[in-house]
Amino acid sequence: MLLAVNIIGIFVFIGVAFLFSKDKKHINWRSVGIVLALQLFLAWFFVSFSIGRDAVQAAANGFNWIVNIAYQGIVFALPNWVTADFGGTAQSMNFITSALLPILLIVPLFDILTYIGFLPWVIKWIGKGLSIVTGQPKFEAFFSVEMMFLGNTEVLAVSKAQLDTMSAQRTLTLALMSMSCVTASILGAYTQMMPGQYVITAVPLNILSAIIMAAILNPVHVTPEEDTVATINSATETYEATDENGVVTPKREPFFSFLGDSILGAGKLVLIIVANVVAFVALAALINGIFGLTGFHWLTLQNILGVIMFPFAWLLGFNPAHAFEIAQFMGTKLVTNEFVVMGEVSKAVMGETGMFASAHARAVLTTFLTSFANFGTLGMIIGAFKGLVTKDKSDYISKHVPLMMVSGILVSLLTASMAGLFAW
């Protein structure tokens, strides 16, 4: 029965996207169907087959291996903060040590892969393959893969040349897709708090969900002349030099200068996450405290969000009691961020206790949380576009903020429903 509800939920989420579509008559259902079939196959392969599970678990173990190496740097500077051995788990450490400080190694590592050209090469060929298979415009397919590795604002920054050539409607597609990004350099933090297998599974499923929802919500016809990929600005080409003939050429930043900037950027990211988590948790507690003054002790932010998200959680294949609890976590994530919820549920999920003894609950909640889809991300994306495109384009995107939030929610729901379909 719950499996049937889960299947129905997939069609309901697509139906909701259709209701919000800006141009229902021109949706490319053939392309949507191909991407949906590909997503169904990947979810089936990664969750149901031992070889698929082994592959994603190996990737998760790889991130955990890097995190354990990062502990060696942490223990040198902060020996009293590291309480687990390097080959064990980080569950006895505090949130900052176990999940955030390893970012100081992982972000520079991905930046180095970008500096030497390996990561752009991977992105290029995966994006080309995805465009051929799905029938999506080349840059949209390219963008969906690139944002997985670089992050939503970072990928926009290095795509300015493309943004300058695109219509306002196509830039809206990129904004919709950006709501569902998850940066690969932060996956190590996620795998310390949630099951790594499902964290890694969520990444390709999110890419395909973002393509599906953007294609339905904002159908765009791209002519062959427009279907090109402009030269992407390299993040390492930071200054220009003029030779004796007056020819201006971009120059690569010296490696150690680049590495220093990358480390400082990682440090800022850690501080931003800490600040957001502390502030959002405290604000939620303040709101609950104010609600408590009414005398209605059941009136809490979590319960309000649970009521709003309950129908969607139920459609993911849960009985009503568990659906309401899952809905509370989902709603909290959308208002705050994924780290707030992961920190709250980590022990129960990783310990497989309570309702999380069910693989279905672990798969659904983990894949739903593995994205940047929340209200805070809206501000980041709008701000990035304001600094990169013309006022007309940025105003067009700003007018569609509700559609961006709808896209982020539906992508997370579709990804969670696909993963949950094969985990029981």
Side-chain angles (χ1 to χ4, degrees), residues 1 23 35 52 80 103 153 172 175 181 183 191 195 208 242 263 271 286 312 322 349 362 364 379 397 403:
M1 176 63 183
D23 188 0
V35 181
N80 295 331
I103 290 174
T153 56
L172 176 59
C181 154
T183 310
T191 60
L208 299 176
T242 305
I263 294 170
L271 291 176
L286 175 62
F312 303 103
H322 288 167
V349 174
R362 296 195 301 274
V364 166
I397 293 169
L403 195 66

Side-chain angles (χ1 to χ4, degrees), residues 27-28 136 256 360 411:
I27 296 173
N28 186 345
Q136 291 294 307
F256 285 103
H360 184 72
V411 167

Side-chain angles (χ1 to χ4, degrees), residues 240-360:
E240 295 179 338
T242 305
D243 62 19
E244 63 274 11
N245 297 318
V247 177
V248 178
T249 57
K251 291 293 183 180
R252 174 170 295 203
E253 182 179 8
F255 175 76
F256 285 103
S257 173
F258 164 80
L259 182 60
D261 289 342
S262 175
I263 294 170
L264 288 176
K268 291 177 183 178
L269 177 61
V270 171
L271 291 176
I272 289 170
I273 294 173
V274 171
N276 275 275
V277 169
V278 171
F280 276 125
V281 171
L283 285 171
L286 175 62
I287 292 171
N288 286 338
I290 293 173
F291 286 156
L293 297 177
T294 64
F296 299 104
H297 298 295
W298 53 266
L299 186 61
T300 65
L301 181 62
Q302 288 79 5
N303 284 343
I304 293 172
L305 296 172
V307 171
I308 295 172
M309 293 298 296
F310 172 78
F312 303 103
W314 177 73
L315 285 168
L316 290 171
F318 291 98
N319 63 50
H322 288 167
F324 185 72
E325 191 172 353
I326 290 289
Q328 289 177 311
F329 295 138
M330 290 178 169
T332 302
K333 185 258 186 183
L334 296 173
V335 174
T336 58
N337 60 49
E338 69 278 10
F339 279 104
V340 172
V341 181
M342 286 182 180
E344 183 178 346
V345 303
S346 178
K347 289 185 178 179
V349 174
M350 298 296 276
E352 300 183 8
T353 60
M355 76 168 173
F356 295 112
S358 160
H360 184 72

Side-chain angles (χ1 to χ4, degrees), residues 78-377:
L78 303 164
N80 295 331
W81 286 26
V82 180
T83 56
D85 61 72
F86 298 142
T89 63
Q91 297 306 306
S92 59
M93 300 184 201
N94 62 44
F95 169 69
I96 294 176
T97 307
S98 63
L100 299 187
L101 289 184
I103 290 174
L104 295 173
L105 170 65
I106 297 174
V107 169
L109 175 61
F110 274 84
D111 284 345
I112 290 171
L113 293 175
T114 300
Y115 185 91
I116 64 177
F118 175 76
L119 203 53
W121 180 83
V122 171
I123 292 168
K124 172 185 176 182
W125 288 106
I126 295 178
K128 281 188 174 182
L130 193 59
S131 175
I132 293 171
V133 172
T134 64
Q136 291 294 307
K138 292 173 184 171
F139 185 77
E140 279 78 346
F142 179 82
F143 182 86
S144 68
V145 178
E146 191 174 31
M147 70 178 181
M148 176 183 71
F149 290 98
L150 301 182
N152 43 22
T153 56
E154 292 84 355
V155 69
L156 289 171
V158 301
S159 302
K160 189 178 188 309
Q162 184 77 33
L163 296 175
D164 290 339
T165 67
M166 298 175 73
S167 66
Q169 191 177 9
R170 283 187 75 187
T171 59
L172 176 59
T173 294
L174 303 187
L176 296 176
M177 296 172 72
S178 295
M179 283 298 298
S180 308
C181 154
V182 52
T183 310
S185 60
I186 213 168
L187 291 178
Y190 291 164
T191 60
Q192 297 305 294
M193 294 184 287
M194 304 296 283
Q197 173 193 352
Y198 298 126
V199 169
I200 304 301
T201 297
V203 174
L205 297 187
N206 273 339
I207 292 175
L208 299 176
S209 292
I211 291 174
I212 290 170
M213 292 306 170
I216 297 174
L217 293 170
N218 186 45
V220 179
H221 175 68
V222 179
T223 65
E225 293 77 19
E226 295 174 312
D227 193 13
T228 59
V229 177
T231 302
I232 303 301
N233 299 325
S234 171
T236 62
E237 293 175 349
T238 57
Y239 65 95
E240 295 179 338
T242 305
D243 62 19
E244 63 274 11
N245 297 318
V247 177
V248 178
T249 57
K251 291 293 183 180
R252 174 170 295 203
E253 182 179 8
F255 175 76
F256 285 103
S257 173
F258 164 80
L259 182 60
D261 289 342
S262 175
I263 294 170
L264 288 176
K268 291 177 183 178
L269 177 61
V270 171
L271 291 176
I272 289 170
I273 294 173
V274 171
N276 275 275
V277 169
V278 171
F280 276 125
V281 171
L283 285 171
L286 175 62
I287 292 171
N288 286 338
I290 293 173
F291 286 156
L293 297 177
T294 64
F296 299 104
H297 298 295
W298 53 266
L299 186 61
T300 65
L301 181 62
Q302 288 79 5
N303 284 343
I304 293 172
L305 296 172
V307 171
I308 295 172
M309 293 298 296
F310 172 78
F312 303 103
W314 177 73
L315 285 168
L316 290 171
F318 291 98
N319 63 50
H322 288 167
F324 185 72
E325 191 172 353
I326 290 289
Q328 289 177 311
F329 295 138
M330 290 178 169
T332 302
K333 185 258 186 183
L334 296 173
V335 174
T336 58
N337 60 49
E338 69 278 10
F339 279 104
V340 172
V341 181
M342 286 182 180
E344 183 178 346
V345 303
S346 178
K347 289 185 178 179
V349 174
M350 298 296 276
E352 300 183 8
T353 60
M355 76 168 173
F356 295 112
S358 160
H360 184 72
R362 296 195 301 274
V364 166
L365 187 60
T366 300
T367 51
F368 183 91
L369 295 178
T370 305
S371 82
F372 293 163
N374 57 59
F375 286 104
T377 298

Side-chain angles (χ1 to χ4, degrees), residues 10 20 31 45 123 168 184 196-197 204 257 321 332 375 380 401 403 414 423:
I10 293 173
F20 282 93
S31 178
F45 177 72
I123 292 168
Q197 173 193 352
S257 173
T332 302
F375 286 104
M380 293 172 59
V401 163
L403 195 66
L414 183 59

